[in-house]
Amino acid sequence: GAGVSQSPRYKVAKRGQDVALRCDPISGHVSLFWYQQALGQGPEFLTYFQNEAQLDKSGLPSDRFFAERPEGSVSTLKIQRTQQEDSAVYLCASSTRQSSNYGYTFGSGTRLTVV
Amino acid sequence: EDQVTQSPEALRLQEGESSSLNCSYTVSGLRGLFWYRQDPGKGPEFLFTLYSAGEEKEKERLKATLTKKESFLHITAPKPEDSATYLCAVYSGGYQKVTFGTGTKLQVIP
């Protein structure tokens, strides 16, 4: 597609429920990133993929968060046993470059609300 | 750890009233400084990358400059459609993560 597509756009989860957020990057983009953006804050890094390899997951806040990109294209961010503090917008970004020296293309995000 | 501080948090301008947004950063070795624009309900939209002190880039009414400690985003004769949150971010190499500031929310009033 023309841009990075994320689904769903909105997700309401009950505390303790598992959720899966999907990202379709721009076709051919090697690098894929997940960021978490709390209300009124800047995006915070979660994890980075180069093709199917997860090269950096240092930003994942706990072992309840898990990301995968099995075929080097679509990625899924999974959050198990959601907590209220997980409420945020989850942004996916992709880049044709292997280095973060260049700007990313972001999707519109998934707004997760945990009640 | 890389740090980015943006000021002011919010800025309200009359249409045509030029101003500047500030981004102060602390990094171990700057590989790139980025400016993004973010509209409500959307993801950040890439504007510029600056690589070294003294570099400048322009796009329409926006001009970004870089020194060794900070970057400025100058907005000349802004229009209401320039209203958005402007995010600054830095990349210092090694791991691929880019560190963002909290943004400046700009409102341009007709």
Side-chain angles (χ1 to χ4, degrees), chain B residues 15-91:
Chain B
E15 185 172 1
E17 180 187 0
S18 301
S19 188
S20 295
L21 312 182
N22 176 263
C23 170
S24 299
Y25 63 89
T26 303
V27 298
S28 55
L30 184 70
R31 296 275 298 276
L33 183 141
F34 312 95
W35 283 97
Y36 284 84
R37 169 193 170 124
Q38 187 171 27
D39 292 295
K42 299 287 183 65
E45 176 189 347
F46 173 73
L47 294 173
F48 306 108
T49 306
L50 301 168
Y51 296 103
S52 58
E55 189 175 1
E56 298 182 352
K57 288 198 175 168
E58 289 188 63
K59 180 179 180 179
E60 296 181 357
R61 294 176 292 282
L62 300 177
K63 178 178 167 181
T65 62
L66 181 65
T67 72
K68 289 187 178 179
K69 293 184 178 181
E70 55 193 350
S71 177
F72 294 93
L73 184 66
H74 307 277
I75 304 177
T76 302
K79 298 182 177 181
E81 53 262 42
D82 295 322
S83 298
T85 295
Y86 290 85
L87 295 164
C88 173
V90 296
Y91 172 58

